[in-house]
Amino acid sequence: MLDILFIGLSLGSILLLVALGLAITYGAMGVINMAHGEMVMIGAYVAVLSGIWLRASLLLAIPLAFIVTALLGLLIERVVVRRLYGRLLDTLLATWGIAILLQQAVRLEFGLSFLGIHVEGLGAGLQNVAVPSYLQGTFRLASADINAYRTFIIVITAVLTLATWFILYRTAAGMQVRAIIRNPKMAAACGIDVKRINAMTFAFGSGLAGVAGVMMSGFKTVFPDMGTTMVVDGFMVVVTGGVGSLFGTILSSGLLGEINALVAIGTNDILARAVVFGVVILVILVKPSGLFSFKGR
Amino acid sequence: MVFNRREFLKTAATASAALALPALSSRAFAADPIKVGALYSQTGGLSVAEKLLANGVMMAVAEINAGGGVLGRPVEVVVEDGASDPKTFSEKASKLILKDKISTVFGCHTSASRKAVLPIFERRGAMLFYQTHYEGFECSRNVVYSGAVPNQQLSNYIPWIVQKLGKKKFFIVGSNYVYPREMAKVSKKLIEAAGATWVADEYLELGHSEWAVMVSKIKESGADVVLSNVVGDSIIAFYREFKNQGLSQEVLPICATVTSEIEIAAMGAEYAAGSYTSFPYFMSIDTPANKSFIDRFRTFVNDPKAVTYHSLEAAYFQVFLWKQAVEKAGDLSAEAIRAGIRGQTYEAPGGKVTTDPDNLHCWLTPRIGQWQADGQSKVVNAYPAPIKPLPYSAYGETESNLFCTSNGLDAAKLKG
């Protein structure tokens, strides 16, 4: 039973890892960022490229990916998203376009493949990331074999979640973000620089996605399309948890992860996924604004 | 059908014009290139695998052209993009056959795309050359199948696992679609015949890469060997999860039917070291012909680390089988190719291959490879010679009782 719960915890932490960034960009800014999955993908490619070209380990790739994707997120916010605030469907389309652009950029090696230049680590093929040997296999804890890499993911997810909570609830900038979540116009009237805070928030959310990408690269395949399915799971978690609620996102990812694991052990993975989607639909039907939600906006 | 006189004349005129036109044009431009089609996904999720296959075809054509072409004419490839979508495959197949007037197409990778184009090839009388190992259960007179069918991957594999590795309890795992399910069907027969048992037959969604629960089930099942028919990028996540849950390939080896050099390179060799795959071709086959093939392929795709694998080799040699068939028949029509290709033999990079005169599949040599720490396989077992393809082995087809012959499928046997 303990190992099933561990698997559920692990599935939940992976969901949370992707959803955390979304919870912030979607929750705080009301931007449906379809390119979030591509930020995960870029993060994974940072791990691939830093492994090949800098001989850097997976651990070093984590801050590196955060910086790269945060800067990319900042750029996207400045160039595209900023002009589309309040236009939900337009941001959806625009960020979807960005997602396709990013995928193709990686696939075509930023255009270099037209010139016959091949950059190792880029292109349409499958890539792999070396995982340090101490993160492979299992370690023993109280007479149970625990999966080392999954534990690593749980720990990193916990650290990121704590960091996000700290920034949102214990810093001045975080208070401003929360003010914007509740009511952006009122926040602006109180002297908060909404544009600047939004840009920072978007960059932070993108950076979190980049870290998620590094973690994914350690046990999934890295290829240009890898982000597309993740963004669906991410939105599922955020919507179930309640838009704008960090706690709701954490709870719903844990819940969906455990449901997935329990049903999968009892029956099979295919049914488990269907049950998870069933639960999501039920939650949205019963509580349209998710498990936890704010009044306001 | 009842014709009135006017309609009869009209039909006759169209028909004779249609007959006369190609004759005229081929006489007028005798050194015109021979057009063939290459129908693979150049875009979409399957493009990674299918572009490589297209490369195999293109390289074979380039070599044929360098050697003087076919019937003294150069070969020109018309490339079409199936876009990872069976419907697009069928549209593009129609385009190649009807608009470009092509009688031979090399292409398709998934069974879904092959099934989608099959009616077009059969109705329009064109030939498809299909290189991917597949589940069998097909007997088209318009397809030459150069990849392995289940009996060529499993008939030596399962008895070998039971006798040589001493394994008794199989856990069968696959992706949820027709190929793994048919492979499981054949496997179960062979497992029972070899005196072993199977404890589970489980599937994961195609393209799904969350293996935590499945691997934990494998761990709990008491099985001593895993037979994997998992396909695509799920393979990588599977092998990684396997090691990460502390399972060892020495104690509980994964014996796969799809895992090739491509996936091994993508997952990192240390995750697969010690596991097995059954394929007619491995990159590690140590012959001058294969070494030269690998070098030429790497030069052709301009990637010094490119790997070669079963489907790629088949994509390559099927073009030469086609060339020999055309030269034997002296004609490009589908009937001529079909007649010419029966029994054609070619020295492929991995050894001799022969097109079966009965069912147009290929005689291939089953081999078992064990993956090493360097990402290459060591061939630990091989048949002494190529064996006959039996596309209906899951339903009781044997060499002395063929279901699929040159007359087509004997449906009565399938029911019995």
Side-chain angles (χ1 to χ4, degrees), chain B residues 264-319:
Chain B
I264 301 290
M267 75 177 77
E270 74 263 32
Y271 290 96
S275 71
Y276 301 90
T277 297
S278 169
F279 265 141
Y281 171 88
F282 286 103
M283 188 174 174
S284 64
I285 291 174
D286 193 14
T287 58
N290 188 38
K291 291 232 155 26
S292 156
F293 172 66
I294 296 165
D295 286 340
R296 280 177 288 140
F297 183 70
R298 286 179 166 174
T299 316
F300 187 78
V301 297
N302 188 23
D303 179 358
K305 284 185 178 170
V307 294
T308 58
Y309 55 103
H310 171 49
S311 302
L312 177 75
E313 188 229 7
Y316 171 82
F317 75 64
Q318 65 181 357
V319 185

Side-chain angles (χ1 to χ4, degrees), chain B residues 149-197:
Chain B
V149 282
N151 78 304
Q152 292 169 317
Q153 283 190 278
L154 293 171
S155 64
N156 63 326
Y157 203 23
I158 306 273
W160 181 84
I161 294 168
V162 175
Q163 283 149 26
K164 286 282 156 55
L165 296 183
K167 303 297 183 187
K168 291 281 176 249
K169 286 164 105 179
F170 286 73
F171 192 111
I172 307 172
V173 60
S175 303
N176 192 19
Y177 78 109
V178 58
Y179 173 78
R181 286 187 180 269
E182 287 290 314
M183 290 298 271
K185 212 180 273 177
V186 183
S187 307
K188 286 175 188 168
K189 277 193 175 178
L190 290 164
I191 288 168
E192 280 153 20
T197 53

Side-chain angles (χ1 to χ4, degrees), chain A residues 124 128-129 136-137 150 218 264 267, chain B residues 48 210 217 240-241 243 265-266:
Chain A
N128 93 76
V129 175
Q136 296 180 12
R150 286 184 185 270
T267 57
Chain B
V48 177
E210 183 51 71
K217 276 184 189 169
R240 287 200 162 196
E241 182 67 31
K243 183 167 186 191

Side-chain angles (χ1 to χ4, degrees), chain A:
Chain A
M1 193 60 200
L2 206 66
D3 50 335
I4 301 170
L5 289 179
F6 176 79
I7 288 172
L9 188 64
S10 161
L11 296 183
S13 71
I14 291 164
L15 285 176
L16 181 58
L17 200 57
V18 178
L20 204 56
L22 266 184
I24 292 170
T25 49
Y26 183 36
M29 308 165 64
V31 173
I32 297 190
N33 182 13
M34 294 298 282
H36 191 78
E38 274 53 46
M39 293 295 171
V40 177
M41 182 266 289
I42 300 273
Y45 271 93
V46 169
V48 171
L49 291 174
S50 64
I52 294 175
W53 296 101
L54 306 175
R55 307 241 153 260
S57 86
L58 197 69
L59 297 179
L60 191 67
I62 293 174
L64 219 56
F66 183 86
I67 295 167
V68 170
T69 48
L71 288 176
L72 191 63
L74 197 64
L75 185 75
I76 293 171
E77 204 275 345
R78 281 278 150 90
V79 177
V80 182
V81 175
R82 164 162 299 188
R83 295 159 210 278
L84 300 171
Y85 280 128
R87 292 157 63 185
L88 201 64
L89 289 178
D90 294 340
T91 48
L92 190 150
L93 277 180
T95 51
W96 192 23
I98 293 170
I100 295 169
L101 278 176
L102 290 175
Q103 276 179 26
Q104 289 300 341
V106 171
R107 194 172 282 134
L108 301 173
E109 305 171 30
F110 300 102
L112 289 175
S113 67
F114 290 123
L115 309 173
I117 305 167
H118 174 65
V119 181
E120 204 184 321
L122 290 176
L126 306 174
Q127 305 294 341
N128 93 76
V129 175
V131 176
S133 56
Y134 53 86
L135 289 177
Q136 296 180 12
T138 56
F139 64 89
R140 283 196 84 78
L141 186 81
S143 78
D145 286 319
I146 306 286
N147 186 330
Y149 195 78
R150 286 184 185 270
T151 312
F152 179 54
I153 292 183
I154 294 171
V155 170
I156 293 285
T157 310
V159 169
L160 289 179
T161 312
L162 274 174
T164 308
W165 172 83
F166 184 82
I167 290 172
L168 277 182
Y169 290 89
R170 288 289 178 272
T171 65
M175 194 190 290
Q176 296 179 348
V177 173
R178 282 184 294 135
I180 295 171
I181 293 178
R182 294 296 175 102
N183 192 330
K185 288 205 176 109
M186 191 62 85
C190 295
I192 293 171
D193 186 348
V194 175
K195 275 190 174 174
R196 196 179 66 89
I197 293 292
N198 270 346
M200 301 307 284
T201 315
F202 198 87
F204 183 68
S206 302
L208 289 178
V211 177
V214 177
M215 304 309 295
M216 294 298 169
S217 71
F219 77 129
K220 292 192 177 183
T221 332
V222 179
F223 58 106
D225 293 332
M226 67 183 286
T228 347
T229 49
M230 291 181 195
V231 77
V232 177
D233 286 358
F235 275 115
M236 193 175 77
V237 169
V238 174
V239 171
T240 310
V243 177
S245 163
L246 185 62
F247 184 64
T249 304
I250 297 168
L251 195 85
S252 80
S253 57
L255 191 73
L256 295 178
E258 291 292 351
I259 291 175
N260 193 338
L262 287 172
V263 180
I265 282 284
T267 57
N268 61 56
D269 283 283
I270 298 167
L271 198 65
R273 205 159 162 73
V275 170
V276 165
F277 279 115
V279 169
V280 170
I281 292 172
L282 211 69
V283 168
I284 296 173
L285 280 179
V286 177
K287 293 197 75 174
S289 50
L291 293 173
F292 292 85
S293 59
F294 294 112
K295 296 214 161 59
R297 255 197 185 269

Side-chain angles (χ1 to χ4, degrees), chain B residues 82-281:
Chain B
S84 308
D85 168 35
K87 239 166 80 187
T88 312
F89 266 95
S90 88
E91 281 161 20
K92 299 288 180 167
S94 298
K95 185 251 170 191
L96 285 169
I97 297 166
L98 297 176
K99 184 157 170 283
D100 297 326
K101 309 259 180 287
I102 284 172
S103 64
T104 303
V105 176
F106 303 97
C108 296
H109 176 49
T110 61
S111 286
S113 61
R114 189 190 66 254
K115 295 275 186 207
V117 302
L118 203 57
I120 297 159
F121 280 88
E122 290 182 341
R123 200 176 331 127
R124 305 289 174 190
M127 290 301 278
L128 172 69
F129 281 70
Y130 177 73
Q131 72 291 306
T132 308
H133 51 104
Y134 83 115
E135 66 278 1
F137 200 64
E138 203 171 279
C139 181
S140 173
R141 299 174 73 237
N142 291 72
V143 184
V144 175
Y145 308 82
S146 57
V149 282
N151 78 304
Q152 292 169 317
Q153 283 190 278
L154 293 171
S155 64
N156 63 326
Y157 203 23
I158 306 273
W160 181 84
I161 294 168
V162 175
Q163 283 149 26
K164 286 282 156 55
L165 296 183
K167 303 297 183 187
K168 291 281 176 249
K169 286 164 105 179
F170 286 73
F171 192 111
I172 307 172
V173 60
S175 303
N176 192 19
Y177 78 109
V178 58
Y179 173 78
R181 286 187 180 269
E182 287 290 314
M183 290 298 271
K185 212 180 273 177
V186 183
S187 307
K188 286 175 188 168
K189 277 193 175 178
L190 290 164
I191 288 168
E192 280 153 20
T197 53
W198 52 276
V199 294
D201 178 17
E202 295 262 1
Y203 297 89
L204 199 70
E205 249 174 293
L206 196 58
H208 200 71
S209 56
E210 183 51 71
W211 284 95
V213 174
M214 186 74 83
V215 171
S216 131
K217 276 184 189 169
I218 292 174
K219 219 168 155 181
E220 305 296 321
S221 67
D224 54 11
V225 61
V226 178
L227 185 71
S228 158
N229 302 311
V230 180
V231 307
D233 54 291
S234 299
I235 293 175
I236 290 118
F238 177 42
Y239 282 69
R240 287 200 162 196
E241 182 67 31
F242 202 76
K243 183 167 186 191
N244 284 344
Q245 289 208 13
L247 294 171
S248 135
Q249 300 283 357
E250 276 118 62
V251 184
L252 179 61
I254 300 178
C255 295
T257 55
V258 189
T259 311
S260 74
E261 284 84 351
I262 292 278
E263 287 84 16
I264 301 290
M267 75 177 77
E270 74 263 32
Y271 290 96
S275 71
Y276 301 90
T277 297
S278 169
F279 265 141
Y281 171 88

